[in-house]
Amino acid sequence: MADSEMEIDQPGTDQANGSTTEIRTATGAVAVRSIEGWIILVTNVHEEASEEDLQELFGEYGEIKNLHMNLDRRTGYVKGYVLVEYPTQKEAKAAIEGANDTKLLDQTISVDFAFVRPPPKKGDQGRGGRGGAAKGGRTRSRSPGADGEKDGGRED
């Protein structure tokens, strides 16, 4: 693999025409690329699933850059979820569309993007920066001496 380079796409770009696109999850959130690639979250994984089972299933959709299985320390079994990383968005999306709601060791797995940016709330379009009192944020108490009072409001 040292001789060949992996195909890596830029975040938010459609390689076919160079335009920016947003990939949405099943819940409507925008999928976000991690630092190194596109990570998908596989849930409801059978506790006796092996790394080979997952490599075989998800290897059909593209080159797996990393596969992380969390194991229970006490039992040594899979905790029920797996993270799979692909170098390109196309491969990750293919894995989600192809493997979501399929059976792995007699359990139906769910697959979606691991990192997402939530959809904007209604009324938040076009607003930038931080909230303040004018935008419904909290108001702040005034500092002592803000009215020109030098000695805390005492009269001598």
Side-chain angles (χ1 to χ4, degrees), residues 23-127:
I23 301 297
R24 300 266 177 187
T25 65
T27 60
V30 177
V32 179
R33 183 180 189 273
S34 75
I35 302 236
E36 296 181 7
W38 292 88
I39 299 178
I40 61 173
L41 175 67
V42 184
T43 56
N44 200 30
V45 176
H46 193 278
E47 64 182 9
E48 293 181 1
S50 68
E51 191 169 337
E52 290 80 29
D53 295 330
L54 293 157
Q55 286 278 359
E56 183 180 319
L57 175 64
F58 289 99
E60 296 176 18
Y61 305 106
E63 179 186 351
I64 296 175
K65 193 172 178 182
N66 189 11
L67 189 136
H68 186 78
M69 298 174 64
N70 276 340
L71 303 178
D72 186 281
R73 288 183 195 169
R74 190 173 49 85
T75 64
Y77 289 128
V78 178
K79 282 193 169 184
Y81 68 94
V82 174
L83 297 168
V84 182
E85 182 176 355
Y86 288 99
T88 65
Q89 185 182 57
K90 184 174 114 180
E91 293 169 330
K93 187 170 169 128
I96 290 169
E97 291 171 353
N100 192 31
D101 293 328
T102 60
K103 294 258 187 199
L104 178 66
L105 299 178
D106 296 329
Q107 278 190 214
T108 304
I109 59 172
S110 297
V111 185
D112 210 345
F113 284 101
F115 297 112
V116 296
R117 183 176 62 235
K121 297 178 183 133
K122 290 189 176 189
D124 279 353
Q125 286 87 6
R127 284 191 180 175

